[in-house]
């Protein structure tokens, strides 16, 4: 039976979803609702997430390793333990500091990371040792890591919210059956009696969702538990619990699922529904739940991370809750209760009524480091905290607890400057913490000073410049991932250059991001690689001419995505210059002349031959960088790819000014500016600059020009 909601168009779907406090449901949401309604409200209505334990993150990492294994298996490729461990480690290392839940047994983020790696590795080792549990029953893998949103029918009722499913693996068995496989990493096996009652609801959810999307019947659902603690009796670490989806089993599990699902749907359709706290729930931090309950009676809508389309409904609900609570208890009483609840949330400073300065000091003091935040500066996308260190304290020790500081501030990461900052005649260690943007730093023509191009403003409210007249800073390298602000910064620089009176601007734009400048008579834009190569050759010739004639004229060259252009440019024999030249003489012939038979003059023999080789695009760029500064050429080279193959040591020598916006990994930041930090930036123009004009690496917010 197909759900009626599958026939709805986009407008009808949006109208339908506008009546509900959530946009989709899943098995985990239903099970959370049944176990503890207040936790369901906290996590799925208000998007207040709990911290994740090392065990939870290890389980996610284990799934990543198995995703790699089964993806390769589907393609007929083997996977060794090293590759699986690397996949797991990459997932763990990608987790931001603000999601880790520290505890008495794991007091630092590094402790959590170490334990997560150890747990995941145990799971991977168990899996490979006993993988026959899977392979002995699988003919072929059909799909891996399916992410679906399906409209489904349960117990004969069309559910008015789409079901979100994350299916680990779909296989065809040796018995020619189709099965869904779900992996679970456990510290102990689930009790056999409990398994029979719990896995059925999850199994039928997977089956109904998959069959709705693909219209292919699922015969079985396998739940494979992997126990990380070693069995002393040598029994298997992997247990496969199989649910055979025959008609009677389907009807039974649909009926069992329908009741809690129906109750949950009715609740999220009612903005006034009261979600109850289950005090007997051992899976939820009771203090955390009560702290959230108090917050809903005091906080404004902006204090919650709620999607825009749900804000009107949640705001209406929040107002009613607040009005009702204030009628029976004063704000002072509620705040005191909230503070009391917070006292029982161990090691989570994000919920404490402390300033960020106090949180930083507390974290460091917990590890025996005495420091005082003496000054705080709020920038557009980050804050800087200047720490005065106690005498005898090793400053290098602070960096070890960078993630713990970030965890306390509830941000993904913090940056600790490598060099000390001198402020008002005193040296301080600086910690930079990203924050939610408070606004856009609009382009301001008044910031321009002669040929000093404003790039942005640092956290001390000082304008950061690129001086075109300074011969020690002629060229600038810019790197940043998509959404980091790289292109916007380039556009801002171009606009300032025009205002500064730069009459010659060349833009090499292989990705067509700056075509709006085509109509500007002072800017020449080139997009096709052939045109870029030709124009670069002309610029080198112009530079050589200027050098010979002693001419210096300011010319700005912007080469966006230069790495891609260089990769696609002519190389090797494609650069050969082939001309028609004389290659010899044809043999003389006997001809009849006036005086009888004569020998003809030798006739030149012509042929096509390689007479030289043009410079490649990369060579011409290097020549222009090295020799162009004295004749007025100023170059910006930009790329998304922070790789040593792209940004070599030789290349960086030619770019004294290096700007790095947000990049995926700390190694990318090191490639560009020789130190980590850019991986923790916020994006949208939050950048780091390294220049001979500044001491150390400076964090700044780039200007935005519409």
């Amino acid at each position: 039976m197909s759900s009626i909601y599958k026939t709805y168009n986009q407008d009808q779907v949006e109208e339908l979803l506008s009546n509900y406090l959530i946009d989709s449901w899943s098995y985990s949401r239903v099970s959370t609702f049944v176990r503890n309604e207040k936790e369901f409200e906290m996590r799925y209505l208000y998007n207040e997430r709990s911290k994740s334990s090392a065990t939870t993150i290890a389980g996610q990492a284990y799934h990543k390793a198995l995703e790699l294994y089964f993806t390769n298996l589907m393609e007929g490729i083997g996977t060794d333990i090293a590759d699986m461990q690397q996949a797991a480690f990459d997932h763990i290392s990608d987790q931001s500091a603000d999601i880790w839940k520290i505890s008495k047994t794991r007091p630092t983020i590094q402790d959590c990371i170490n334990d997560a790696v150890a747990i995941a590795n145990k799971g991977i080792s168990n899996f490979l040792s006993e993988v026959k549990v899977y392979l002995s029953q699988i003919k072929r893998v059909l799909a891996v890591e399916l992410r679906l949103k399906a409209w489904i029918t349960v117990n004969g009722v069309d559910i008015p919210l789409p079901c979100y499913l994350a299916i680990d693996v779909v296989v065809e068995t040796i018995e020619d059956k189709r099965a869904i496989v779900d992996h679970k990493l456990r510290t102990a096996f689930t009790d056999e009696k409990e398994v029979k009652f719990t896995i059925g609801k999850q199994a039928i959810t997977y089956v109904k969702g998959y069959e709705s999307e693909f219209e292919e019947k699922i015969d079985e659902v396998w739940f494979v538990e992997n126990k990380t603690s070693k069995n002393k009796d040598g029994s298997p670490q992997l247990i496969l619990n199989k649910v055979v989806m025959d008609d009677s089993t389907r009807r039974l599990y649909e009926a069992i699922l329908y009741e809690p699902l129906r109750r949950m749907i009715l609740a999220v359709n009612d903005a006034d529904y009261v979600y109850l706290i289950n005090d007997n729930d051992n899976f939820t931090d009771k203090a955390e739940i009560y702290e959230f309950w108090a917050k809903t009676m005091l906080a404004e809508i902006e204090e919650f991370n709620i999607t825009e389309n749900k804000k009107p409904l949640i705001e209406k609900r929040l107002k009613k809750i607040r009005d009702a609570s204030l009628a029976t208890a004063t704000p002072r009483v509620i705040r005191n209760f909230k503070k009391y609840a917070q006292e029982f949330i161990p090691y989570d400073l994000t919920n404490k009524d402390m300033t960020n300065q106090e949180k930083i000091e507390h974290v460091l003091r917990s590890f025996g480091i005495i420091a005082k935040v003496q000054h705080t500066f709020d920038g557009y996308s980050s804050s800087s905290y200047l720490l005065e260190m106690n005498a005898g304290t090793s400053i290098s020790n602070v960096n070890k607890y960078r993630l713990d500081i970030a965890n306390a501030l509830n941000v993904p990461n913090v940056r600790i400057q490598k060099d000390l900052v001198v402020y008002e005649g005193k040296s301080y260690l600086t910690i930079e913490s990203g924050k939610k943007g408070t606004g856009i730093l609009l382009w301001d023509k008044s910031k321009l000073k002669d040929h000093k191009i404003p790039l942005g403003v640092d956290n001390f409210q000082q304008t950061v410049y690129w001086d075109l007249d300074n011969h020690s800073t002629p060229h600038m390298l810019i790197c940043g991932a998509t959404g980091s602000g790289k292109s916007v910064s380039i556009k801002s620089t171009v606009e300032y250059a025009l205002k500064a009176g730069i009459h010659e601007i060349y833009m090499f734009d292989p990705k067509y991001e700056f075509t709006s400048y085509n109509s500007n008579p002072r800017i020449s834009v080139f997009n096709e690689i052939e045109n870029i190569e030709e124009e670069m050759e002309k610029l080198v010739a112009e530079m050589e001419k200027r050098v010979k004639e002693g001419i210096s004229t300011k010319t700005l060259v912007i080469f966006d995505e230069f790495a891609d252009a260089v990769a696609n440019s002519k190389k090797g024999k494609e650069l050969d210059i082939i001309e028609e030249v004389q290659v010899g003489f044809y043999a003389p012939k006997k001809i009849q002349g006036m005086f009888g038979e004569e020998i003809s003059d030798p006739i030149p023999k012509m042929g096509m031959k390689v007479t030289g080789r043009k410079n490649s695009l990369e060579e011409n760029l290097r020549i222009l960088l090295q020799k162009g500064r004295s004749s007025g050429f100023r170059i910006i080279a930009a790329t998304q790819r922070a790789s040593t193959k792209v940004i070599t040591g030789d290349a960086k020598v030619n770019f004294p000014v290096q700007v790095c916006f947000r990049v995926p990994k700390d190694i990318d930041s090191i490639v560009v500016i020789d130190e980590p930090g850019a991986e923790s930036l916020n994006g949208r123009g939050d950048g780091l600059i390294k220049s001979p004009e500044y001491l150390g690496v400076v964090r700044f917010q780039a200007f935005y020009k519409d």
Side-chain angles (χ1 to χ4, degrees):
M1 183 188 299
S2 180
S3 170
I4 185 65
Y5 300 112
K6 290 183 73 172
T7 66
Y8 277 25
N9 60 36
Q10 186 61 35
D11 291 339
Q12 289 174 309
V13 169
E14 288 180 6
E15 174 62 27
L16 173 67
L17 298 183
S18 69
N19 298 308
Y20 294 89
L21 295 168
I22 59 177
D23 280 338
S24 64
W25 69 278
S26 64
Y27 167 73
S28 63
R29 292 190 177 197
V30 174
S31 60
T32 303
F33 180 84
V34 171
R35 179 170 50 78
N36 197 325
E37 292 181 0
K38 186 59 71 174
E39 185 188 358
F40 172 88
E41 179 189 24
M42 179 179 74
R43 289 176 60 181
Y44 301 118
L45 269 60
Y46 288 89
N47 294 318
E48 293 280 292
R49 61 178 182 174
S50 299
K51 302 279 186 177
S52 297
S53 67
T55 305
T56 299
I57 301 299
Q60 297 168 1
Y62 173 70
H63 274 76
K64 287 292 182 184
L66 265 60
E67 178 184 350
L68 174 66
Y69 182 92
F70 283 102
T71 299
N72 286 346
L73 184 62
M74 184 167 57
E75 298 172 357
I77 303 170
T79 309
D80 61 28
I81 190 170
D83 291 334
M84 295 180 70
Q85 288 177 340
Q86 186 63 51
F89 179 76
D90 286 345
H91 176 80
I92 293 168
S93 63
D94 284 344
Q95 303 309 303
S96 57
D98 56 333
I99 66 98
W100 292 96
K101 186 173 188 176
I102 56 178
S103 62
K104 288 182 179 179
T105 56
R106 298 171 181 133
T108 72
I109 302 296
Q110 193 57 52
D111 290 330
C112 294
I113 292 172
N114 293 342
D115 280 3
V117 171
I119 294 168
N121 284 346
K122 286 180 183 177
I124 293 168
S125 179
N126 290 346
F127 170 81
L128 290 175
S129 297
E130 302 180 19
V131 73
K132 61 179 181 291
V133 169
Y134 294 88
L135 300 187
S136 62
Q137 303 184 58
I138 294 175
K139 180 187 290 185
R140 64 190 179 106
V141 178
L142 303 175
V144 179
E145 285 298 316
L146 283 177
R147 295 288 185 268
L148 306 175
K149 263 192 177 180
W151 297 97
I152 68 176
T153 301
V154 179
N155 216 31
V157 177
D158 293 339
I159 306 303
L161 288 176
C163 178
Y164 175 78
L165 302 106
I167 296 175
D168 293 347
V169 181
V170 182
V171 301
E172 182 182 346
T173 72
I174 57 174
E175 298 172 337
D176 294 326
K177 294 179 179 179
R178 193 176 297 264
I180 289 173
V181 185
D182 186 73
H183 310 120
K184 298 183 184 299
L185 192 65
R186 304 289 197 198
T187 54
F189 288 130
T190 307
D191 181 80
E192 188 176 344
K193 292 179 181 178
E194 185 181 342
V195 166
K196 291 180 179 178
F197 288 105
T198 58
I199 67 175
K201 289 183 289 186
Q202 187 172 3
I204 196 64
T205 305
Y206 285 155
V207 169
K208 299 292 289 186
Y210 182 90
E211 291 180 349
S212 172
E213 286 297 291
F214 297 104
E215 298 182 356
E216 297 171 346
K217 186 180 178 183
I218 293 294
D219 302 295
E220 298 173 348
V221 180
W222 303 351
F223 292 92
V224 186
E225 291 193 348
N226 183 334
K227 180 170 170 286
T228 54
S229 56
K230 208 71 178 173
N231 295 326
K232 293 181 180 179
D233 60 3
S235 57
Q237 299 294 131
L238 269 64
I239 290 181
L240 190 155
N241 296 298
K242 189 180 295 186
V243 182
V244 179
M245 303 305 297
D246 54 37
D247 290 342
S248 59
T249 301
R250 286 169 179 257
R251 286 194 296 270
L252 171 64
Y253 287 140
E254 278 196 62
I256 294 175
L257 172 66
Y258 178 69
E259 183 179 342
L261 174 58
R262 177 178 175 275
R263 285 182 51 228
M264 188 197 76
I265 295 294
L266 289 173
V268 297
N269 187 225
D270 180 4
D272 298 330
Y273 183 86
V274 178
Y275 295 85
L276 301 178
I277 297 176
N278 177 12
D279 285 327
N280 296 317
D281 175 19
N282 295 324
F283 292 95
T284 302
D285 189 318
K286 199 177 298 183
E288 186 179 71
I289 289 292
Y290 275 106
E291 193 275 336
F292 163 73
W293 173 69
K295 182 178 178 180
T296 59
M297 292 189 285
L298 295 170
E300 298 294 333
I301 189 73
E302 288 76 17
E303 295 182 49
F304 298 97
N305 185 29
I306 298 169
T307 55
E308 288 298 323
N309 65 324
K310 297 302 176 188
K311 271 189 177 178
L313 281 173
I314 300 293
E315 190 168 23
K316 179 183 174 183
R317 171 181 175 78
L318 203 58
K319 185 178 185 304
K320 285 191 175 183
I321 292 173
R322 189 164 53 244
D323 291 346
S325 64
L326 295 181
T328 56
T330 65
R332 183 178 63 83
V333 170
I334 296 171
R335 286 193 187 94
N336 286 339
F337 176 83
K338 185 172 182 286
K339 189 172 183 179
Y340 177 76
Q342 289 169 350
E343 293 301 318
F344 290 89
I345 305 176
Y347 301 100
D348 188 358
L349 296 184
T350 62
N351 292 318
K352 307 298 183 188
D353 290 329
M354 300 169 68
T355 65
N356 282 349
Q357 293 90 330
E358 290 171 333
K359 290 177 181 179
I360 292 171
E361 292 169 3
H362 177 81
V363 168
L364 294 176
R365 193 162 53 246
S366 299
F367 299 113
I369 298 173
I370 308 302
K372 180 73 175 175
V373 178
Q374 295 290 14
H375 303 282
T376 301
F377 298 90
D378 285 326
Y380 280 84
S381 55
S382 66
S383 297
S384 293
Y385 302 95
L386 304 190
L387 274 71
E388 182 180 1
M389 310 303 296
N390 198 39
T393 300
S394 175
I395 293 177
S396 61
N397 285 340
V398 178
N399 203 53
K400 291 194 298 186
Y401 305 109
R402 178 172 51 88
L403 293 178
D404 297 281
I405 295 170
N407 185 272
L409 299 179
N410 202 31
V411 295
N413 213 327
V414 296
R415 176 176 175 261
I416 299 178
Q417 286 197 26
K418 188 170 64 174
D419 300 315
L420 298 180
V421 168
V422 177
Y423 181 71
E424 295 181 345
K426 195 167 185 177
S427 296
Y428 297 96
L429 180 69
T430 305
I431 295 177
E432 295 170 349
S433 169
K435 65 179 186 179
K436 193 173 181 179
T438 55
I440 295 172
L441 182 59
L442 292 174
W443 189 87
D444 183 359
K445 65 179 180 181
S446 67
K447 297 289 185 182
L448 181 67
K449 294 181 179 179
D450 300 320
H451 284 159
K452 294 178 71 173
I453 304 296
L455 299 178
V457 174
D458 67 15
N459 283 1
F460 299 90
Q461 298 304 308
Q462 301 296 312
T463 303
V464 176
Y465 290 99
W466 175 35
D467 190 354
L468 300 186
D469 289 334
N470 187 343
H471 283 280
S472 66
T473 60
H475 311 308
M476 180 163 61
L477 173 68
I478 301 179
C479 186
T482 301
S484 64
K486 172 175 66 69
S487 297
V488 173
S489 178
I490 291 173
K491 187 174 182 180
S492 168
T493 300
V494 171
E495 296 292 338
Y496 277 121
L498 291 170
K499 287 288 182 186
I502 306 300
H503 294 287
E504 284 189 329
I505 299 178
Y506 294 85
M507 297 191 75
F508 299 137
D509 177 27
K511 288 197 173 180
Y512 291 82
E513 289 192 58
F514 302 101
T515 52
S516 59
Y517 286 114
N518 278 325
S519 58
N520 192 311
R522 292 162 61 185
I523 302 176
S524 303
V525 182
F526 303 91
N527 305 110
E528 298 299 331
I529 187 64
E530 295 83 3
N531 296 335
I532 291 173
E533 290 176 305
E534 182 181 345
E535 198 59 34
M536 183 63 79
E537 193 174 341
K538 290 180 181 178
L539 287 176
V540 170
E542 170 64 19
M543 180 269 295
E544 299 284 4
K545 178 183 175 184
R546 289 186 192 180
V547 170
K548 289 177 181 177
E549 297 178 359
I551 299 172
S552 180
T553 303
K554 284 289 186 298
T555 301
L556 179 60
V557 179
I558 296 170
F559 202 157
D560 191 31
E561 299 303 339
F562 74 92
D564 292 335
V566 167
N568 295 324
S569 63
K570 294 187 183 74
K571 297 175 182 64
K573 292 184 178 181
E574 295 175 312
L575 297 168
D576 287 345
I577 301 172
I578 301 175
E579 296 178 311
E580 188 178 36
V581 297
Q582 182 177 326
V583 295
F585 294 91
Y586 289 104
K589 296 181 179 179
K590 292 181 179 180
I591 58 174
Q592 190 65 37
M594 293 177 59
F595 304 103
E597 195 174 74
E598 299 177 0
I599 302 297
S600 67
D601 293 330
I603 301 172
K605 185 178 183 180
M606 308 300 289
M608 305 302 290
K609 228 183 162 184
V610 176
T611 59
R613 174 169 289 187
K614 292 183 179 180
N615 288 334
S616 66
L617 178 62
E618 186 175 16
E619 288 168 332
N620 279 330
L621 175 60
R622 183 167 58 248
I623 292 168
L624 201 61
L625 285 166
Q626 292 173 344
K627 298 172 65 177
R629 67 175 69 188
S630 62
S631 55
F633 283 94
R634 299 292 180 263
I635 300 172
I636 297 175
T639 181
Q640 290 185 4
R641 296 160 52 194
S643 158
T644 52
K645 292 182 180 179
V646 173
I647 306 172
T648 63
D650 290 340
K652 279 176 64 176
V653 169
N654 294 313
F655 293 103
V657 182
Q658 298 149 13
V659 173
C660 194
F661 294 105
R662 186 178 63 192
V663 289
K665 300 276 189 180
D666 57 356
I667 188 63
D668 301 326
S669 178
I670 293 170
V671 167
V672 181
I673 57 174
D674 299 317
E675 64 179 70
E679 76 285 353
S680 64
L681 300 177
N682 284 352
R684 298 172 62 85
D686 186 15
L688 298 172
I689 181 171
K690 184 179 181 183
S691 169
E693 294 191 303
Y694 299 102
L695 293 174
V697 175
V698 175
R699 188 167 186 168
F700 72 101
Q701 177 66 35
F703 287 107
Y704 174 81
K705 183 71 170 72
D706 192 5

